[in-house]
Amino acid sequence: MGWPGVRRELGWAFGLMALSTAVLAPTAGLVVARVRNRREVRGRFLVMAAVSGVPVVLLLFFGVLFPECPDGYHC
């Protein structure tokens, strides 16, 4: 398989793990804060979710939507 193939496969695995943890951690914290009715902690997790959501949206836009435009066309 070689080094580039291994790097490509591991890159996808680590990329998916990074995305899932960026989404999973604030979601789990927000659920726990909501269940235990801790209002002051809920705000922190909402900010954390918003901050970690920005890279996910940028990755989806530039990694999925933007590269699908054919050369010479402006989407």
Side-chain angles (χ1 to χ4, degrees):
M1 188 165 166
W3 179 248
V6 171
R7 190 174 67 201
R8 189 177 11 234
E9 291 295 320
L10 288 178
W12 275 104
F14 284 119
L16 287 174
M17 184 64 72
L19 280 176
S20 65
T21 56
V23 172
L24 185 64
T27 305
L30 189 60
V31 168
V32 169
R34 195 170 282 269
V35 167
R36 293 193 179 191
N37 202 15
R38 298 193 57 188
R39 225 169 177 36
E40 67 279 352
V41 177
R42 244 187 283 174
R44 292 183 203 146
F45 279 108
L46 284 174
V47 170
M48 185 175 159
V51 168
S52 65
V54 170
V56 172
V57 170
L58 289 175
L59 179 78
L60 287 175
F61 180 74
F62 289 114
V64 176
L65 299 176
F66 192 64
E68 290 182 1
C69 295
D71 291 335
Y73 291 97
H74 301 289
C75 295

